[in-house]
């Protein structure tokens, strides 16, 4: 593998944007508007930045706009489109498939389809789905199924349900994405999902608040709450996660770092600048990121396409 693997890369289709706009997402997450995406622009970005393969996914606000059936149809359309791009451009594209959460039953049906028929590399889940956070008890069958498949899960931030009260009239990716990602990770840790399902490989957005939150949660639990039933400390649970460098400064350790561009919501020039910053801040990070990507995802489909 000579180039990077982009584990956080988004694509759009006209019918997806139309469905989102019908649901009121004219300015997604408070951004000025929907970006333009085409496969040619994506490949040009990849070639300019030495990205060998991009795993395509649907970004926030996801595929569920209030109706379970419509969400199932939209998830299927986007997942099949991503698989088709992989077939049309061997070795260049994989996918993290969308699931129509919070419809757990529909998500389980789609999970079987994307793994058994489309051969997806993993799934993308929003940090909350219709206001439900991932420690929600009704999601337990989904975690069972993902664990059985040793699935890779890209946990993507989205707007919190109360964004109007807390976003300070700023685009939600600016402030609230980091907080909602930390909230989702906290929920997964405190409800024991990370501990109960160790074969799921979670990729989360790095956030400077996470280590502080972990220390505070562990101190709070040890001081004020009964024993946690044998759960590992939150700090130790965070050490099992993989950290996506999209749109944030990497830590001084690349041991669990993977590369994500955030394209097409992150403009091409910003992707290039971020790569240059990483090269200065974390020497040798590219080799770590390549090795981590190889460990995380099955590149069987890409390898097959090259033979």
């Amino acid at each position: 593998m000579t180039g990077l693997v982009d584990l956080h890369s988004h694509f759009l289709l006209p019918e997806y944007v139309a469905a989102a706009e019908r649901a009121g997402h004219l300015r997604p997450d408070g951004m000025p508007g929907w970006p333009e995406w085409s496969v040619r622009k994506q490949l040009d970005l990849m070639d300019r930045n030495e990205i060998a393969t991009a795993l395509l996914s649907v970004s926030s606000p996801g595929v569920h706009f209030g109706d379970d059936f419509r969400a199932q149809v939209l998830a299927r359309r986007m997942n099949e489109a991503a698989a088709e791009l992989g077939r049309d451009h061997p070795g260049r594209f994989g996918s993290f498939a969308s699931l129509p959460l919070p419809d757990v039953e529909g998500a389980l049906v789609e999970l079987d389809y994307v793994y058994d028929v489309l051969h997806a590399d993993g799934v993308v889940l929003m940090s909350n789905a219709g206001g439900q956070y991932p420690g929600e008890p009704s999601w337990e069958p989904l975690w069972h199924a993902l664990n059985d498949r040793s699935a890779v899960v890209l946990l993507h931030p989205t707007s919190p349900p109360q964004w109007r009260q807390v976003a300070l009239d700023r685009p939600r990716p600016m402030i609230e994405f980091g907080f909602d990602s930390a909230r989702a990770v906290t929920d997964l840790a405190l409800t024991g999902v990370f501990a109960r399902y160790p074969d799921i490989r979670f990729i989360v957005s790095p956030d400077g608040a996470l280590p502080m939150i972990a220390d505070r949660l562990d101190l709070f639990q040890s001081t004020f709450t009964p024993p946690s039933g044998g759960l590992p400390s939150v700090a130790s649970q965070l050490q099992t996660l993989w950290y996506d460098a999209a749109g944030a400064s990497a830590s001084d350790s690349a041991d669990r770092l993977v590369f994500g561009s955030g394209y097409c919501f992150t403009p091409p020039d910003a992707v290039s600048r971020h790569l240059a910053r990483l090269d200065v801040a974390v020497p040798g990070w590219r080799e770590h990121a390549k090795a981590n990507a190889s460990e995380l995802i099955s590149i069987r489909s890409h390898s097959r396409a090259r033979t």
Side-chain angles (χ1 to χ4, degrees):
M1 187 187 302
T2 58
L4 290 166
V5 176
D6 186 350
L7 299 180
H8 181 165
S9 192
H10 302 306
F11 77 117
L12 292 170
L13 297 180
E15 54 263 48
Y16 173 80
V17 175
E21 289 183 338
R22 283 195 300 271
H25 296 279
L26 301 178
R27 299 175 64 234
D29 297 301
M31 296 296 285
W34 291 94
E36 293 183 4
W37 181 88
S38 73
V39 66
R40 185 69 264 162
K41 289 180 179 180
Q42 176 93 43
L43 290 169
D44 286 347
L45 172 95
M46 293 164 65
D47 292 341
R48 286 197 307 272
N49 292 284
E50 299 181 15
I51 299 170
T53 304
L55 272 63
L56 301 175
S57 61
V58 173
S59 184
S60 175
V63 296
H64 200 298
F65 303 129
D67 181 277
D68 286 351
F69 177 73
R70 289 178 183 270
Q72 294 164 18
V73 172
L74 187 58
R76 179 65 56 90
R77 171 68 182 114
M78 297 303 289
N79 292 336
E80 289 184 334
E84 184 177 357
L85 285 165
R87 292 191 297 270
D88 290 346
H89 302 275
R92 302 310 304 272
F93 295 124
S95 68
F96 283 151
S98 294
L99 304 180
L101 288 168
D103 172 18
V104 175
E105 184 176 344
L108 290 169
V109 170
E110 191 63 15
L111 179 67
D112 287 341
Y113 182 76
V114 299
Y115 267 96
D116 297 337
V117 178
L118 301 182
H119 308 295
D121 296 282
V123 300
V124 58
L125 304 182
M126 299 298 114
S127 52
N128 77 82
Q132 290 185 14
Y133 283 88
E136 162 66 35
S138 66
W139 291 24
E140 202 73 7
L142 178 63
W143 298 127
H144 273 289
L146 289 166
N147 194 70
D148 287 345
R149 292 184 179 274
S150 299
V152 179
V153 173
L154 174 64
L155 187 66
H156 193 285
T158 190
S159 296
Q162 74 281 17
W163 63 265
R164 288 179 178 82
Q165 287 73 43
V166 298
L168 307 177
D169 293 324
R170 305 300 199 280
R172 274 89 78 190
M174 184 177 183
I175 303 171
E176 289 308 310
F177 272 25
F179 289 136
D180 211 61
S181 180
R183 188 176 294 113
V185 171
T186 297
D187 197 32
L188 288 163
L190 293 182
T191 57
V193 171
F194 290 144
R196 288 196 304 281
Y197 302 109
D199 292 334
I200 302 175
R201 293 161 289 170
F202 285 93
I203 304 170
V204 304
S205 294
D207 189 304
L210 278 178
M212 180 192 73
I213 290 173
D215 291 342
R216 184 176 181 84
L217 290 171
D218 287 333
L219 176 63
F220 192 96
Q221 291 205 116
S222 65
T223 305
F224 296 108
T225 63
S228 57
L231 281 179
S233 69
V234 175
S236 67
Q237 292 183 63
L238 294 187
Q239 293 174 7
T240 69
L241 309 181
W242 300 84
Y243 292 92
D244 161 25
S249 298
S251 69
D252 58 0
S253 171
D255 289 348
R256 309 287 290 185
L257 184 70
V258 295
F259 173 63
S261 69
Y263 184 77
C264 58
F265 286 85
T266 300
D269 60 331
V271 173
S272 299
R273 290 198 306 270
H274 185 55
L275 280 164
R277 285 196 297 268
L278 284 172
D279 287 337
V280 172
V282 191
W285 75 272
R286 289 176 182 259
E287 295 310 313
H288 280 285
K290 292 174 192 176
N292 290 342
S294 293
E295 181 175 344
L296 266 175
I297 67 168
S298 166
I299 348 192
R300 62 190 181 277
S301 57
H302 314 316
S303 300
R304 254 200 325 265
R306 292 191 180 109
T307 59

